[in-house]
Amino acid sequence: MNIILQHYDGDLPDWAVIARNTVKNYAENIGVEYELVTGNPMGKVHGAHTQKLVYIQEKYDKYDKVLMVDIDMFAPISCTDNVF
């Protein structure tokens, strides 16, 4: 079982909603889970970039592979290759 994660702190701007939707659809197409991680799950004191390390939390241990991609990443509709 694999999962693709994206992170964003705050309200998603329109471009980020589109990006999230393309990555979420890609995840569904290749049969993996998707999660948008929001806020500061690693603690606000650690800063914005550290939040992308959320995948080290125990709740993600059940996955064989975890992929974290930036929120500004778009998955092409025609892409059917499984990144895993």
Side-chain angles (χ1 to χ4, degrees), residues 27-61:
E28 290 173 5
N29 289 339
I30 64 169
V32 303
E33 292 186 32
Y34 171 85
E35 182 181 340
L36 175 64
V37 179
T38 58
N40 295 285
M42 300 302 289
K44 196 169 188 168
V45 68
H46 298 295
H49 298 293
T50 305
Q51 305 312 317
K52 290 180 178 34
L53 294 175
V54 68
Y55 56 81
I56 66 172
Q57 291 182 341
E58 189 175 326
K59 77 181 226 174
Y60 297 106
D61 287 350

